[in-house]
Amino acid sequence: MRIGWRSFLLRRLLARFRIGDDVIRHLSTFQRLGERLETRPPGEMLPVGLRTVLRAVRTRGAAQIRPDWVWPYWLERQLDPSSEAFIPKGHLPFVTNMTHRNWTGVGPLNSEWEAIVDPRGLVTPWFDGWSLDWWIEEGGGWRLPSRDPSLIQRLAQSCPIVETLLELNDGQVRHRVYCPTDQDIVVVEIHNSSGTEVSVAFALRPYNPEGLAVVERLEVRKHTVFVEGRPALFLPGPADLAAVSTFAGGDCLNRIKEGMGSIPRTVRDEAGLIQAAFVYKLAPQATISAVAPLPHERRHPFRTPLRARTTTRPEFPASDEVIASWEQELGRGMRIRVPDTDLQSAVEANRAHLLVLLDGDDITPGPFTYHRFWFRDAAYQVVALDRWGFHSEAERVLLAFPKRQRRDGFFYSQWREWDANGAAIWAMAEHHRLTRDEQFIEAVAEPVERGAKWIARKCSGSREDPRVEGLLPAGVSAEHLGPYDYYYWDDFWAIRGLRDAAELLQGTNSAASDEAAAAAVALELSTKRSLERAARRLALTVIPAGPTRGIDSAMIGSLVACYPLRLMQADDPWIKGTADLIRSRFCIGDAFFQYIAHTGFGTYLTLQLAFVELEARDPRAWRRLRWLLNHATGTYTWPEAIHPNIAGGCMGDGHHGWAAADFLTFVRNMLVDDKEDGIELIPMLPEEWRGEDLEVQDAPTRHGLISFKLTWPQGKPRLEWVTEAKVPIRASTFAPQWYQEQPEGSVLFDAFDAAV
């Protein structure tokens, strides 16, 4: 099927707006970069792209004619020609954050909403909305966090409470951002631990870490600030000084500096760039807080919501109480104690981060840019929750999967995203393997059966090209693979989904189980034939991204056949050849560089290669984990991709859930690796851990829980364990031939030369 009629309609539509034929040709030929057959751009993503473009246009327009404004941290640096993050604007009409896409999500437990905090403490409580900045006056001069080089940011006690510390002459100011675990609000708490009185400004700004926001109307009633008719900010009381301004009026900071200011009851700005600041004196050792509600609905683009008149500031716990609540929440599941304090802190932080991204019976791969559900990302995140013992949270999400399944069996999160069914069924199977919950099987058996039949039908259509015969159709798949095309990634996920469907249905519907198993064999044979054709064409035993693709960085996706899907072993010639080629052509140092879409060091993509190396017990896997840890933010978050020169986020959500999930899963697999024939303890021990104690408690495996401890009496490794498992326990790192089947015991190894 050709797209001639679509080009005709597009040309007629754009001609009405006097858009030239050359522009039309760019648009109409874009999808032809990949595969023309059976493809179309996913319509649900078009509003997201349009919003991004329009925001970027507004951001450039405002920033270049208002250089005197206080802009967010990322924009200050992209505009500064002396900064290595400077980006020339050229003749393109866009400015967006391409250098510092780093932030941290904070939110209540099981809430749909999160706020984000940028590396300088700028808080964005509403999706794509305004932000709350903080300014400190000390000794007659104002300290602006977006421009101050002395800031330190971290988590409070490894909980999702972001601390930003500003050093003063005789102490510091501590800025904390947190959400109570059971309230849809975000609290900004500022504590003056210095010996001098300071002034604090809570500054409402019409931008966020992605670009300009729209603030067309602002009202102040009592001590509550309304934005577009909705309560936006609850102030701590009457301000000592307040100022508001519009885009034409300049930055309200200028009025604050002059000691002049007042807030009219209602302010409007057709440019949508109202800003306001509220100043309070803060005595030594005193604390002050502002509160912002997290939204329960997004503003309709053509309607202003009914104006809420509430001006009552909500009651909320202090940050120390919230820390105690989180510590109790995190005191369950799998816990570890390792001799690397940085890694220990990162694990504890990301266990909490993954729970923040859990939105009741949904889970999203980010609190901001990617605050949306995809089966692929959800599968990685849910399996990480399961492997760290958060089974009830994982089950809640998995039981909601069928609500997104279409009548034909397609697990839908985005059109033509053909990996979804395999990812959904795999996540369900992993949950069952770790919990052995038969009631769960009964609840998902029918959706699993329909999902498996959908895969079989989708692969059965005839193809004009023999290279893709018997495979899934062309689709959009994961964005790091490239344009619309046929992808082995989709086929590998489908094979795993069919195999797992056969396993899950074995006890409830033997006929459906046999049908899924047969479909898996058929798809494996088709995939193998296609791979052999590709190998002859490329004269290499490697797995390209798809049957028609050459050697490019998207082939990193094909490594899923080894891990997490374990369809091939790490020493399989296809996997070994692919991994070797990726290391030689697409790695810079210890990191994988993704030239497609992300154009940066891939966070979870670097771990994709590391997982394969861990399966092969290759010490390079540890080095890649260390690289990732060295590139974490102060709050132990990662963006989707990292700028190769300045190490800031350059793609996707600045707090990426897939990266967090893969990090947790990798650490777990370093300590406990369970397979069908047994459990391997500490399959990889870094050289720097030799002689150091470590401990793992309540690690879930497919054979039951296991806890163990490694100590070093007289310099020899001693392993103690307690387990529910009734399979061999191995520790080949210390003794390749040793195994034990007792539920508890200890062993002292005489010799040890296997540290990496």
Side-chain angles (χ1 to χ4, degrees):
M1 181 181 69
R2 295 187 175 274
I3 59 170
W5 65 272
R6 294 177 183 169
S7 293
F8 173 75
L9 291 178
L10 181 64
R11 289 168 187 269
R12 290 293 300 271
L13 175 64
L14 297 182
R16 289 178 61 101
F17 295 94
R18 301 181 182 276
I19 296 177
D21 190 65
D22 53 343
V23 176
I24 297 171
R25 291 174 63 195
H26 279 297
L27 293 171
S28 64
T29 60
F30 174 72
Q31 77 167 18
R32 299 180 191 175
L33 294 173
E35 175 57 48
R36 283 192 301 162
L37 296 175
E38 303 186 57
T39 63
R40 70 179 180 191
E44 61 269 30
M45 295 301 292
L46 293 179
V48 177
L50 181 60
R51 183 184 66 235
T52 300
V53 169
L54 293 177
R55 184 203 304 120
V57 171
R58 288 184 71 238
T59 303
R60 165 158 178 168
Q64 65 185 351
I65 61 175
R66 286 296 183 196
D68 57 324
W69 266 41
V70 179
W71 295 111
Y73 170 72
W74 65 270
L75 187 52
E76 292 274 356
R77 276 139 192 81
Q78 285 187 195
L79 294 173
D80 181 2
S82 66
S83 169
E84 57 185 359
F86 173 73
I87 295 180
K89 293 180 283 295
H91 57 268
L92 293 177
F94 311 117
V95 170
T96 190
N97 187 354
M98 298 295 293
T99 57
H100 295 88
R101 299 186 68 82
N102 305 96
W103 48 79
T104 307
V106 297
L109 283 167
N110 299 313
S111 171
E112 181 184 352
W113 305 106
E114 292 95 41
I116 63 169
V117 189
D118 91 339
R120 298 305 169 110
L122 184 77
V123 183
T124 307
W126 293 0
F127 176 77
D128 200 30
W130 57 272
S131 299
L132 186 65
D133 206 354
W134 58 298
W135 306 329
I136 301 296
E137 188 271 334
E138 177 197 24
W142 282 94
R143 303 278 295 277
L144 308 176
S146 63
R147 298 175 181 173
D148 200 301
S150 68
L151 290 186
I152 298 172
Q153 192 171 83
R154 65 191 184 192
L155 294 180
Q157 306 297 319
S158 296
C159 298
I161 297 174
V162 179
E163 289 186 347
T164 309
L165 306 177
L166 178 64
E167 295 295 328
L168 303 180
N169 291 330
D170 62 344
Q172 63 181 201
V173 171
R174 186 191 70 199
H175 174 276
R176 271 185 177 175
V177 183
Y178 65 94
C179 295
T181 56
D182 59 352
Q183 290 176 266
D184 282 338
I185 59 173
V186 59
V187 181
V188 178
E189 175 189 276
I190 300 179
H191 176 72
N192 179 13
S193 63
S194 75
T196 307
E197 181 181 76
V198 299
S199 291
V200 174
F202 292 106
L204 190 147
R205 311 296 293 175
Y207 48 64
N208 56 57
E210 288 203 322
L212 292 189
V214 177
V215 181
E216 296 177 288
R217 181 160 58 100
L218 181 142
E219 301 170 76
V220 179
R221 298 177 180 275
K222 295 185 178 179
H223 313 308
T224 302
V225 181
F226 292 81
V227 171
E228 315 300 0
R230 298 162 58 188
L233 184 63
F234 297 101
L235 297 167
D240 297 308
L241 179 66
V244 66
S245 188
T246 62
F247 181 63
D251 201 309
C252 64
L253 175 63
N254 298 325
R255 301 186 184 186
I256 293 294
K257 287 180 176 179
E258 295 168 359
M260 300 169 53
S262 63
I263 301 287
R265 181 169 179 174
T266 301
V267 182
R268 296 180 183 273
D269 182 12
E270 292 182 354
L273 291 172
I274 299 173
Q275 356 91 52
F278 306 88
V279 180
Y280 299 85
K281 295 188 183 301
L282 190 60
Q285 308 307 315
T287 301
I288 194 169
S289 300
V291 183
L294 299 178
H296 289 280
E297 63 179 10
R298 290 183 181 146
R299 180 173 179 255
H300 191 283
F302 304 115
R303 290 198 304 269
T304 300
L306 293 174
R307 182 160 56 199
R309 293 291 180 179
T310 178
T311 57
T312 304
R313 177 175 156 116
E315 297 292 327
F316 57 90
S319 58
D320 288 341
E321 296 177 57
V322 177
I323 290 172
S325 297
W326 270 104
E327 288 177 338
Q328 182 177 1
E329 185 71 25
L330 296 169
R332 58 191 175 94
M334 175 178 167
R335 285 95 63 211
I336 68 171
R337 181 173 57 85
V338 295
D340 185 320
T341 55
D342 206 22
L343 182 63
Q344 181 77 43
S345 297
V347 165
E348 293 171 359
N350 278 279
R351 290 170 79 234
H353 289 328
L354 216 52
L355 292 177
V356 167
L357 294 173
L358 187 68
D359 296 349
D361 59 3
D362 268 357
I363 194 165
T364 61
F368 200 65
T369 309
Y370 291 160
H371 197 229
R372 181 184 180 277
F373 181 90
W374 285 276
F375 277 106
R376 173 180 56 253
D377 302 74
Y380 279 98
Q381 292 174 267
V382 168
V383 168
L385 285 170
D386 260 328
R387 286 178 177 158
W388 282 84
F390 295 103
H391 299 311
S392 60
E393 287 83 356
E395 182 176 5
R396 193 184 315 140
V397 176
L398 293 170
L399 289 177
F401 276 12
K403 296 177 183 177
R404 299 177 180 272
Q405 190 178 32
R406 290 177 175 255
R407 292 180 182 177
D408 62 356
F410 179 35
F411 283 98
Y412 174 82
S413 54
Q414 182 172 305
W415 191 240
R416 300 187 183 275
E417 201 160 47
W418 305 138
D419 57 353
N421 276 43
I425 297 172
W426 170 73
M428 294 177 186
E430 284 290 291
H431 178 74
H432 180 251
R433 284 189 276 263
L434 290 170
T435 64
R436 294 298 166 187
D437 183 350
E438 297 308 316
Q439 289 185 334
F440 174 76
I441 291 295
E442 294 176 8
V444 301
E446 192 270 337
V448 166
E449 179 184 348
R450 290 197 294 123
K453 288 181 177 179
W454 178 90
I455 295 174
R457 287 196 308 271
K458 210 68 183 174
C459 296
S460 64
S462 61
R463 307 277 187 261
E464 295 177 3
D465 188 340
R467 294 174 296 180
V468 298
E469 184 65 33
L471 305 182
L472 283 168
V476 293
S477 202
E479 66 189 7
H480 60 264
L481 298 179
Y484 318 111
D485 215 334
Y486 292 92
Y487 289 111
Y488 290 127
W489 162 285
D490 294 334
D491 301 310
F492 290 140
W493 278 103
I495 293 169
R496 181 77 266 169
L498 290 168
R499 284 191 185 181
D500 285 342
E503 177 185 317
L504 291 171
L505 297 171
Q506 220 163 23
T508 59
N509 189 333
S510 58
S513 174
D514 292 343
E515 185 180 335
V521 171
L523 182 52
E524 286 179 70
L525 290 174
S526 296
T527 304
K528 183 179 180 182
R529 286 194 294 266
S530 181
L531 287 176
E532 289 170 347
R533 283 179 175 271
R536 289 193 296 270
R537 174 172 58 86
L538 298 172
L540 290 170
T541 305
V542 297
I543 310 176
T548 62
R549 290 282 281 272
I551 302 302
D552 60 57
S553 58
M555 63 195 306
I556 188 78
S558 300
L559 292 180
V560 295
C562 176
Y563 195 87
L565 304 183
R566 285 179 165 160
L567 302 173
M568 299 179 182
Q569 299 297 315
D571 59 357
D572 186 295
W574 293 104
I575 296 298
K576 189 175 183 304
T578 304
D580 286 343
L581 188 61
I582 288 170
R583 279 189 287 257
S584 66
R585 295 202 188 181
F586 305 116
C587 285
I588 301 175
D590 292 322
F592 169 79
F593 188 86
Q594 175 57 303
Y595 289 85
I596 296 174
H598 295 184
T599 56
F601 290 133
T603 49
Y604 59 85
L605 294 179
T606 293
L607 283 183
Q608 174 62 80
L609 179 58
F611 274 118
V612 172
E613 292 166 337
L614 180 59
E615 292 285 295
R617 305 303 185 246
D618 185 332
R620 286 175 289 194
W622 169 249
R623 297 207 302 267
R624 299 194 202 285
L625 182 70
R626 288 302 320 176
W627 173 87
L628 187 74
L629 201 55
N630 292 338
H631 285 77
T633 66
T635 57
Y636 295 107
T637 66
W638 294 277
E640 188 168 20
I642 293 174
H643 195 290
N645 297 326
I646 62 175
C650 63
M651 169 67 187
D653 207 301
H655 183 174
H656 203 265
W658 186 345
D662 265 3
F663 167 75
L664 288 173
T665 298
F666 188 93
V667 173
R668 188 262 194 191
N669 288 3
M670 274 186 60
L671 300 172
V672 184
D673 188 12
D674 61 313
K675 297 181 180 177
E676 290 183 12
D677 61 347
I679 301 172
E680 177 83 16
L681 300 183
I682 319 177
M684 180 170 286
L685 185 73
E687 176 65 33
E688 52 264 48
W689 291 11
R690 186 169 180 168
E692 301 286 347
D693 296 351
L694 66 84
E695 185 175 4
V696 172
Q697 297 179 38
D698 297 332
T701 76
R702 67 182 68 196
H703 309 290
L705 292 176
I706 190 167
S707 299
F708 64 90
K709 182 187 297 185
L710 176 68
T711 55
W712 299 79
Q714 289 80 51
K716 295 181 179 180
R718 180 185 183 89
L719 194 61
E720 303 172 64
W721 72 92
V722 177
T723 183
E724 303 169 345
K726 298 178 181 179
V727 295
I729 297 168
R730 300 182 176 88
S732 56
T733 294
F734 306 100
Q737 304 305 317
W738 178 87
Y739 73 93
Q740 184 57 261
E741 294 183 337
Q742 297 301 315
E744 61 181 292
S746 66
V747 60
L748 181 67
F749 297 105
D750 289 330
F752 173 56
D753 298 310
V756 300

